[in-house]
Each structure stands twice: as C-alpha cells, then as structure tokens.
Amino acid sequence: MTFANKAAFFLILFVVVLTTLLYGGVHPPVLALFYLFVSLIALLWAIDCVKTGSIRFSTSPLQLPIYAIAAYGFLQAVPFGSYSEAGLIDIPRTISLDPFSTEVNALHFLALGLFFSLALTLLDGANKIRRAVTFITIFGFIFAFYAILQGVLSPMKIYGVYERQFAQPYGSFVNRHNFAAYMELTIALPLGLLLTGAIKRDQRLLYLTAIVLMAVALFLSGSRGGLVALLAEVLLAIVLTTPIRGTKPFAVRLALGAAILIAVVVGTILVGGDTSLTRIAETAASQDVTTDRTHIWAVSLDVIKQNFPFGAGLGAFGVAYTRTDGRSGLARVEQAHNDYLQTLADAGIVGALIGGAFLFFLFRAARRSIYRNNRFRRGVAVGAVVGIFGVLVHSIFDFVLHTTAITLLFLMLAALLVAAGKRYDDDIHEPRHAGSRRKGSVHSLRPIS
C-alpha cells in the first residue's frame, strides 16, 4: 500500500469531519474547500495508480445514479431556442427555471459522485473497513457529547459565537433537524454491530454507552422527524438481526431495543431541555411558513404538475415555488421539506427514475452484504442499511440530504455497505468460501507495455 493510498483514505474521513464541523458544509467557502479536497484525493488516487502500475476503480453500479443526475442537471441548463417576454428579447429557453442554480447543483452532484467513487475504491481492505467504522463511531460519540453541552450552555449559538436569528441550531448545524439526521447515521453502525453480536463482551458497555448518548443528543435536538427515524432504525435493526425461526431471539432483541429507548428517554429527561418528547405533541402545521409543511407540500405538488415531466431544474425550486404559491410571496421557500417531492419538482420523471435506480442498486447491495459469514462485516452491513433507512425515512419530513455533511456520511455508509459484501486479502477470520466473491469489487487495469 503506497503513501498516496493511505493519505487519500485519511482525507476521505477528514473531509467527512471537516464539513460537519464547518456548519454542515452549506456555505460557499466550505463547499469550495470540499471541492478542493475531493480534487486532492483524486490526485492522490492517480499517484497511487502510477506507483502501483494499475488503474484501480470500483465497478459498483450504486455510483451511476449520482453521475446520471449530475448529467441531467447540466442538460436542464442547456438552451433550446429563445423567447421574448416583458420587453426582453432572445431570452434562452431552458428546461430549468434557474439555469445558474441548476449548473451549480449539477457540479455539486458531480463532486459528490467523485467522492463516492473514491470512497468505494479506497475501502479496499478489511482493516480499512474496521478503521472507518471505528472512526465514525468515535466521532459520533464525541460530537453528540459536545452537542449536548452546547445545547445546555449556549443553545442559540454555534461554538458560542455564530448565531442565526431565524433558526434553531444544534451542534455545529444551523438546523436542528440536520443534526438529528447526522446522529441517525452515526448511531446506526454501533447499533448494527451490537445487535449482530460482533462486539466483544468487554466492549459492549462502551458501544451501548455511545449508542445511548447519541440517541439522547438526537432527542434533545427536538426533531420530530428524527424521533420517527430513530424508532424506524431500531425496529429495522431488530428485524434484520433476528433469525427467521424461533421467537426467543426476537424477544431478546426487542427487549434490548426497548431497554435502549428507555435509557434514552430517562437520559433525555435528566438532561432536560426542549426535546422531541414534548414537541411530538405539537401540530405539524404552524403559522410560520418555514415549518408549515402541509402548505409547502401542497404547493410542491402544484410545482410538480406545472413542470412535468422534466422538472423545474435542480436548485430551481425556490423560483418555481414563488411562481406557484398563492400567498403573498414575501417569504420564499427554497426546499420542499420532503426530498421525494423535491426530486419530482426539480427533475421530474427523469429524477424519479434515477432515484428509483439508486434505491434498487442499494437494495441489491444490502441483500448481498447482510448475510455474510463474517460477523463483523455483517454488523457493518446491517448498521449501514439501518442508517441509510433512517435518513430515507427522515427525508419524508425534511430536506436533510441537501446538507453536504449529511450527504457525505450517507455516501460513506453506502460505500461501507458495498465494501462489507466483498472479500479481501487481509480477511484473517473469514473462510475462503464465505460470502460474495464479486460485484462491486475494486478492479485494476494494467497498462500494456
């Protein structure tokens, strides 16, 4: 393994942490830094290829939908003729209502696709998988602990200095729902390892403590969507780790899941603060346009109808919403608060097909990886599936995948899911016949001299 390979793998994990700490990676300077690091990782990958004399890449089809949506975004910004309106002539006619925003979003998807492809390629050994899982678990634990402290000591300021007037921050995220989604991803890996029995007896209490602390932080964020997603995660984890035959294993895991939730509730009450335990009783609709999801969803359906079948353009939802909204228009809504509705609004039927393809490839990778004989990697696969499922559930209520840090961690879990279904040279504890031998593997092309 070359130094360039090791450095690139380190930077993959570093970028996940960096974008998280820098307010979730939503500001232009942070995004520029993210693009710079992705380019640097790609350069290190190229150097590694030169040093080893082979071009290494992943053949997982899971990365193709990301490049497809990026390509469609660029297509939406291509002019097809022109028109005149309000005294202006030769206005370019494009599918997108906001071509510039669409191009920016397409470029962002391209960077995400490159990051995902590099992660799939660099997760090329059993030791790397273990290090990545340990790293994410430890960071999730530390981040949750910090967020709880900040929620008590400085609830309206991030790092005690950055304050947003019209937002409820939590942790390093401006939006508390984004923090909840991040915890859904970090809590999933230790939960999967614990329920599959992949954790040594003397380490189980440490992992259980990490799970409870991350869940308490999620509850304290006050996100109703996060609460629903966490419950869905625990239920799915129990189902995936329970043998088909016999009711006793299911009862044991159900009792463990219930004990975890009870511990979380007790911990949340002891810490105090505005939590989902009290917010869940509130109505989903409010007078605030930014939280009135019922109205936003109704307008989003009208946006879908008016821009069917090709969509209003990636990143053009704000423009399309303002045109369609029957209210005063003084408050501009940039997101649909439902990633599925926004996919249809932004990319139409093409976006639906691409999204469906991603979910299909994800399901295939999950089915191949969660039945491995290697207990640790089966735990990783279960955890990855659970975390991804939790965010997909949360996406019904919010737009969490529009935050770069969450998207990067989501893609890391998807890469771990694919990597968990492969076999490696450093598989010490796994029989040669166990598990899958193909698909999603890292390939090498040696140049002809």
Side-chain angles (χ1 to χ4, degrees):
M1 186 181 300
T2 66
F3 173 79
N5 183 283
K6 295 178 181 178
F9 178 70
F10 169 79
L11 286 180
I12 286 283
L13 300 177
F14 176 75
V15 167
V16 172
V17 173
L18 182 67
T19 53
T20 303
L21 298 179
L22 295 180
Y23 311 112
V26 296
H27 300 95
V30 181
L31 290 175
L33 195 61
F34 163 60
Y35 300 148
L36 178 63
F37 272 110
V38 170
S39 302
L40 179 59
I41 296 170
L43 177 61
L44 290 171
W45 167 80
I47 294 174
D48 177 64
C49 291
V50 173
K51 291 287 186 179
T52 58
S54 62
I55 302 176
R56 301 172 59 256
F57 61 94
S58 172
T59 60
S60 172
L62 194 56
Q63 58 194 315
L64 299 180
I66 303 177
Y67 292 113
I69 196 66
Y72 184 60
F74 286 120
L75 180 63
Q76 287 179 316
V78 173
F80 294 94
S82 61
Y83 66 99
S84 301
E85 184 177 325
L88 299 176
I89 61 173
D90 295 332
I91 303 174
R93 186 183 300 277
T94 59
I95 295 175
S96 173
L97 301 179
D98 187 354
F100 176 75
S101 295
T102 299
E103 290 177 347
V104 170
N105 277 266
L107 178 64
H108 187 66
F109 272 107
L110 189 62
L112 291 174
L114 183 57
F115 173 88
F116 188 38
S117 296
L118 291 167
L120 287 168
T121 303
L122 292 170
L123 280 168
D124 55 359
N127 287 333
K128 282 188 175 181
I129 295 174
R130 188 176 292 273
R131 290 169 187 167
V133 172
T134 303
F135 180 87
I136 292 172
T137 301
I138 293 175
F139 176 71
F141 174 81
I142 297 174
F143 188 49
F145 182 73
Y146 162 75
I148 293 174
L149 287 181
Q150 179 175 287
V152 174
L153 301 177
S154 180
M156 298 308 297
K157 292 183 178 181
I158 302 176
Y159 304 132
V161 294
Y162 182 42
E163 184 175 6
R164 289 296 300 269
Q165 184 177 0
F166 301 107
Q168 292 180 291
Y170 205 82
S172 61
F173 291 94
V174 174
N175 188 320
R176 54 192 170 81
H177 301 292
N178 290 337
F179 174 85
Y182 201 85
M183 286 294 101
E184 292 157 19
L185 292 168
T186 57
I187 199 175
L189 290 175
L191 182 63
L193 292 172
L194 185 66
L195 291 180
T196 54
I199 305 301
K200 296 179 180 179
R201 187 181 298 272
D202 59 339
Q203 297 178 354
R204 289 175 186 173
L205 183 59
L206 293 175
Y207 276 78
L208 186 60
T209 302
I211 291 170
V212 171
L213 185 68
M214 286 186 271
V216 167
L218 187 155
F219 270 54
L220 287 171
S221 70
S223 172
R224 289 185 295 262
L227 173 60
V228 174
L230 178 62
L231 295 176
E233 283 188 341
V234 173
L235 180 60
L236 180 62
I238 292 172
V239 171
L240 291 178
T241 56
T242 302
I244 298 176
R245 296 180 180 178
T247 58
K248 185 176 179 180
F250 179 78
V252 171
R253 284 172 172 78
L254 186 61
L256 178 59
I260 292 174
L261 292 177
I262 291 172
V264 169
V265 172
V266 172
T268 303
I269 293 174
L270 291 176
V271 174
D274 179 23
T275 73
S276 293
L277 298 176
T278 57
R279 287 180 50 81
I280 195 65
E282 300 175 4
T283 176
S286 71
Q287 298 301 316
D288 183 1
V289 70
T290 62
T291 57
D292 188 356
R293 287 172 175 79
T294 53
H295 175 72
I296 294 175
W297 292 345
V299 177
S300 298
L301 290 174
D302 291 335
V303 171
I304 294 171
K305 294 175 184 176
Q306 292 184 13
N307 296 277
F308 192 82
F310 301 115
L314 301 182
F317 182 82
V319 174
Y321 186 95
T322 303
R323 289 185 177 187
T324 311
D325 188 13
R327 293 182 177 177
S328 65
L330 295 178
R332 171 167 161 156
V333 177
E334 298 289 346
Q335 312 292 347
H337 288 264
N338 181 307
D339 280 332
Y340 305 99
L341 288 180
Q342 184 143 0
T343 297
L344 290 172
D346 286 357
I349 191 67
V350 177
L353 292 173
I354 294 174
F358 181 80
L359 294 178
F360 171 74
F361 293 135
L362 195 64
F363 173 78
R364 284 207 318 176
R367 193 172 67 171
R368 182 171 61 249
S369 298
I370 62 177
Y371 296 112
R372 294 197 60 88
N373 292 339
N374 185 308
R375 183 171 291 183
F376 177 80
R377 291 233 290 282
R378 178 156 52 91
V380 172
V382 169
V385 169
V386 166
I388 290 170
F389 178 73
V391 168
L392 292 178
V393 170
H394 197 159
S395 294
I396 299 174
F397 313 102
D398 290 300
F399 50 95
V400 294
L401 285 174
H402 288 247
T403 303
T404 303
I406 298 174
T407 306
L408 293 182
L409 188 54
F410 180 90
L411 293 175
M412 276 300 299
L413 261 64
L416 285 169
L417 176 62
V418 173
K422 297 186 292 183
R423 193 179 62 196
Y424 304 97
D425 293 335
D426 56 346
D427 275 330
I428 300 176
H429 302 294
E430 183 174 8
R432 294 296 294 176
H433 65 274
S436 171
R437 300 187 178 187
R438 53 178 292 281
K439 297 180 182 177
S441 59
V442 175
H443 281 51
S444 298
L445 292 179
R446 295 189 178 277
I448 300 175
S449 55

